[in-house]
Amino acid sequence: MQITFLGTSSGVPTRSRNVSAVALRLPQRAEVWLFDCGEGTQHQFLRSDFKTSQIRRIFVTHMHGDHIFGLPGLLASCGLAGNQQQPIDLYGPPQLKDYLQACRRYSQTHSSYPIRVHTTEPGKVYEDDDYIVSCERLKHRIPAHGYRVVEKDRTGHFDVKRAAALGIPPGPVYGQLKRGEVVTLPDGRKIHGADLCGPPIIGRKLVYCTDTVFCENAIKLADQADVLIHEATFAHQDADLAYQRLHSTSTMAAQVALAAQVKQLIMTHFSPRYAPGNPLQLDDLLAEAKAIFPNTLMARDFLTCDVAPAAA
Amino acid sequence: MQITFLGTSSGVPTRSRNVSAVALRLPQRAEVWLFDCGEGTQHQFLRSDFKTSQIRRIFVTHMHGDHIFGLPGLLASCGLAGNQQQPIDLYGPPQLKDYLQACRRYSQTHSSYPIRVHTTEPGKVYEDDDYIVSCERLKHRIPAHGYRVVEKDRTGHFDVKRAAALGIPPGPVYGQLKRGEVVTLPDGRKIHGADLCGPPIIGRKLVYCTDTVFCENAIKLADQADVLIHEATFAHQDADLAYQRLHSTSTMAAQVALAAQVKQLIMTHFSPRYAPGNPLQLDDLLAEAKAIFPNTLMARDFLTCDVAPAAA
Ligand SMILES: [Zn+2]
Ligand SMILES: [Zn+2]
């Protein structure tokens, strides 16, 4: 699991930061999942090393323009790219479907591939053999959801050499043993697959919380995450603005990370006000957060981070 | 009058060309008029030397996404910029108003300044003391209008020295004479203002034609223009694609320029297919056009051109 930030500014783009979007690359899949899609996200793809044609799922946190205005163009471009486009599943608030339909209707865009829009409710949003995505309601001016992506735990590495040494003939039996099943061999021996597998591989956990003021649900969603991406629109000194606009300060983001016992916090969604010239700068936001939760990073556009495998 | 191209690619952005937008800067006004507004136009403003807060009017040719998907974000950002934003008047197809309303409603964007949307019909679209904007229906897959901006002719430079030599006392009389009126002085002399003014200053004419296949209306609209901006999505060799998708080839753009007797042609809205690697390149489109109309330029993003004053 590898994340790349495609936009890290709040509200409006700046010369160096686009509005919100995070790409998630999944191992062993030529597939990208996107979280939010502010205007210009397709342009950021052009500047990155992946292609919009790899996008398979898009999770939308809420309907504010800086999180959705890139969707109509990106979905239209995917259809125009010429290469066979896989279906795209979108997840988000109930209005997402109507918004996309309106944009398609007014711009007379005819999609050449399936686009399916799903309404998110707190709880499980998506599941396949390898991943579960769930969400929780956050605390913003309009309904907003944070997302949690959990890689399922897998059985440990199967020890082929030991299986051979035990005289187990290669074949479908190996698959059963790899899955941890108990198998009776032709000679009557009972083999426990678990005995031939290494320690289970614990799945990684990535959590994305934006837009929100400090809230208990963020802590619940972020529980034990390997990486928590949390918005930090404002500095601690501007907490009044954060409460007024229902955004977070760097301190709030760090408090969520601490309370949820995550491994790493990456802050994003910064107000453009902390540009050079302001007495407060982004370095101050980082210092404020680190005082509470030391393993904190500031996102910047195109920052790429591995979500490290958890220790067994 | 000065134009700056903010996007010169057709359909989808490329690494070097954004989708359609042209900014027009008017002399003696801290005001920018925009023609079309593809996704990422507000980002192009950040990279240019003008500000979105200067935008006073936006003329939209048609409802295809690569010409309108930048509007919701740009209009929202104008409101967030913090500085007192002047009203914005938009001109375009009847669906423009509904599209913008839908985007505002779904994204819960509340505008802090007046946004007025006007439906364009062939003929006069806008007029003030200095400019007239008109439009004509072009020939595209959906209704599309080309725009013509005409600076009104002004009376020539008023010769203050000669007025003084004639013993005309300074005062409101000067204003009347400057406007070319006939004035009777207290001493009974009749003075013709025109005699004290230089030759009239002929207004400049700028025409913007996109998206369209070759059509008579484009020639009519472009008549005697100082600068004609005309789409040239395809090379002459790909004329079948142009007819099929109702776009122009470079040759068609040049034929319009020639038939309309314009002074200069600037081609834009190029298909991304003519990228390095294609046997046909943008230089070929330029050569094709120049063979028919020599005074032709290729637009590129951020190209800035003066619309030269016409000779009297
Ligand atoms: Zn928001
Ligand atoms: Zn078009």
Side-chain angles (χ1 to χ4, degrees):
Chain A
M1 277 167 121
Q2 197 182 54
I3 47 176
T4 299
F5 289 85
L6 296 176
T8 56
S9 178
S10 154
V12 295
T14 69
R15 283 180 68 95
S16 58
R17 294 177 185 270
N18 198 29
V19 283
S20 292
V22 178
L24 170 64
R25 205 192 298 240
L26 299 172
Q28 276 110 27
R29 296 188 184 191
E31 206 173 291
V32 167
W33 292 1
L34 199 58
F35 293 82
D36 287 333
C37 185
E39 182 183 353
T41 297
Q42 65 167 321
H43 302 68
Q44 298 292 77
F45 268 85
L46 290 172
R47 295 183 193 107
S48 76
D49 60 349
F50 28 62
K51 295 180 163 62
T52 53
S53 60
Q54 297 177 292
I55 297 171
R56 182 63 190 81
R57 299 179 199 283
I58 306 177
F59 299 89
V60 172
T61 58
H62 69 300
M63 293 296 292
H64 276 153
D66 57 325
H67 296 252
I68 62 165
F69 282 164
L71 281 172
L74 181 127
L75 294 173
S77 292
C78 284
L80 289 174
N83 40 0
Q84 178 69 27
Q85 170 72 43
Q86 49 189 339
I88 296 185
D89 285 272
L90 292 108
Y91 306 83
Q95 304 87 344
L96 181 62
K97 187 173 193 152
D98 297 337
Y99 163 69
L100 292 175
Q101 263 175 356
C103 290
R104 272 214 297 274
R105 190 172 65 247
Y106 292 124
S107 66
Q108 306 213 17
T109 309
H110 307 287
S111 179
S112 57
Y113 60 94
I115 295 176
R116 296 180 288 241
V117 187
H118 312 268
T119 296
T120 48
E121 296 285 349
K124 193 169 77 180
V125 169
Y126 170 74
E127 179 170 10
D128 64 24
D129 286 349
D130 304 315
Y131 299 96
I132 299 181
V133 181
S134 59
C135 77
E136 284 292 343
R137 179 81 176 262
L138 302 175
K139 204 169 166 188
H140 193 42
R141 302 194 300 281
I142 62 173
H145 287 106
Y147 288 97
R148 177 182 177 95
V149 182
V150 173
E151 195 181 32
K152 292 182 180 176
D153 297 347
R154 286 169 293 146
T155 51
H157 183 74
F158 181 69
D159 192 337
V160 181
K161 274 189 188 165
R162 229 182 111 208
L166 286 170
I168 305 170
V173 146
Y174 272 47
Q176 289 171 275
L177 293 170
K178 275 182 193 178
R179 289 193 294 275
E181 294 173 17
V182 179
V183 169
T184 306
L185 298 181
D187 62 12
R189 280 185 295 162
K190 259 195 173 163
I191 309 284
H192 290 255
D195 295 344
L196 293 173
C197 292
I201 299 162
I202 305 294
R204 288 160 283 187
K205 298 165 195 72
L206 167 70
V207 174
Y208 178 60
C209 284
T210 193
D211 290 359
T212 189
V213 72
F214 178 89
C215 71
E216 287 297 327
N217 269 356
I219 298 173
K220 181 179 162 192
L221 191 70
D223 184 54
Q224 312 280 335
D226 296 293
V227 171
L228 165 63
I229 303 168
H230 198 289
E231 73 130 293
T233 310
F234 295 110
H236 181 64
Q237 202 175 297
D238 293 326
D240 52 335
L241 286 175
Y243 284 114
Q244 188 186 312
R245 303 186 189 170
L246 296 180
H247 278 300
S248 292
T249 60
S250 53
T251 320
M252 293 176 192
Q255 279 162 344
V256 170
L258 184 71
Q261 297 183 279
V262 307
K263 294 217 176 57
Q264 182 175 44
L265 167 65
I266 309 182
M267 298 195 296
T268 186
H269 198 269
F270 308 117
S271 168
R273 68 173 49 217
Y274 304 114
N278 190 300
L280 286 167
Q281 305 275 313
L282 288 183
D283 280 348
D284 298 306
L285 275 72
L286 180 59
E288 289 168 357
K290 281 192 155 182
I292 294 165
F293 189 84
N295 193 10
T296 300
L297 273 186
M298 302 293 273
R300 59 176 195 286
D301 285 20
F302 303 110
L303 174 72
T304 296
C305 297
D306 281 310
V307 180
Chain B
M1 277 167 120
Q2 197 182 53
I3 48 175
T4 299
F5 290 84
L6 297 176
T8 58
S9 179
S10 155
V12 295
T14 70
R15 283 180 69 95
S16 57
R17 295 177 185 270
N18 198 27
V19 283
S20 292
V22 178
L24 171 63
R25 205 192 298 243
L26 300 171
Q28 275 109 29
R29 298 188 184 190
E31 207 172 290
V32 167
W33 293 1
L34 200 58
F35 293 83
D36 287 332
C37 185
E39 182 184 353
T41 296
Q42 65 166 323
H43 301 68
Q44 298 293 77
F45 268 84
L46 290 173
R47 295 183 194 107
S48 76
D49 60 350
F50 29 61
K51 295 179 162 61
T52 54
S53 60
Q54 296 176 293
I55 298 171
R56 182 64 190 81
R57 298 178 199 284
I58 305 177
F59 300 89
V60 172
T61 58
H62 68 300
M63 293 296 290
H64 276 153
D66 57 325
H67 296 253
I68 62 164
F69 282 163
L71 282 172
L74 181 127
L75 294 173
S77 292
C78 284
L80 289 174
N83 40 0
Q84 178 68 28
Q85 170 73 40
Q86 49 189 340
I88 296 185
D89 285 272
L90 292 108
Y91 306 83
Q95 304 87 344
L96 181 61
K97 187 175 193 150
D98 297 336
Y99 162 69
L100 292 175
Q101 263 174 357
C103 291
R104 271 214 297 275
R105 190 172 65 247
Y106 291 124
S107 66
Q108 305 213 18
T109 309
H110 307 286
S111 179
S112 56
Y113 60 95
I115 295 176
R116 295 180 289 241
V117 187
H118 312 269
T119 296
T120 49
E121 297 285 350
K124 192 169 78 178
V125 169
Y126 169 74
E127 179 170 12
D128 64 26
D129 287 349
D130 305 314
Y131 299 97
I132 299 180
V133 181
S134 60
C135 77
E136 284 293 344
R137 178 80 175 261
L138 302 175
K139 204 170 165 186
H140 194 42
R141 301 194 300 281
I142 62 172
H145 286 106
Y147 288 97
R148 178 182 177 94
V149 183
V150 173
E151 193 182 33
K152 292 182 180 176
D153 297 346
R154 286 168 294 146
T155 51
H157 182 74
F158 181 69
D159 192 337
V160 182
K161 274 188 189 165
R162 230 181 112 209
L166 286 170
I168 305 171
V173 146
Y174 272 49
Q176 291 171 275
L177 292 169
K178 275 182 191 176
R179 289 193 294 274
E181 295 173 16
V182 179
V183 169
T184 307
L185 297 180
D187 64 12
R189 280 185 296 163
K190 261 197 173 160
I191 310 285
H192 290 254
D195 295 344
L196 294 174
C197 292
I201 299 161
I202 306 293
R204 288 161 283 188
K205 297 166 196 70
L206 168 69
V207 173
Y208 178 61
C209 284
T210 193
D211 289 0
T212 190
V213 71
F214 178 89
C215 71
E216 288 298 326
N217 269 357
I219 298 173
K220 181 179 163 193
L221 190 70
D223 184 53
Q224 312 281 335
D226 297 293
V227 170
L228 166 62
I229 303 168
H230 197 289
E231 73 129 292
T233 309
F234 295 111
H236 181 65
Q237 202 175 297
D238 293 325
D240 53 335
L241 286 176
Y243 284 114
Q244 186 185 314
R245 304 185 190 172
L246 296 180
H247 278 300
S248 293
T249 60
S250 53
T251 320
M252 294 177 192
Q255 279 162 343
V256 171
L258 185 71
Q261 298 183 280
V262 307
K263 295 216 177 58
Q264 183 174 43
L265 167 65
I266 310 182
M267 298 195 296
T268 185
H269 199 268
F270 308 116
S271 168
R273 68 172 49 218
Y274 304 114
N278 191 300
L280 286 167
Q281 305 275 313
L282 288 183
D283 280 348
D284 297 307
L285 275 71
L286 180 59
E288 290 168 355
K290 281 192 156 183
I292 295 165
F293 189 84
N295 194 10
T296 299
L297 273 185
M298 301 294 273
R300 59 175 196 286
D301 286 19
F302 303 109
L303 174 72
T304 295
C305 297
D306 280 309
V307 181

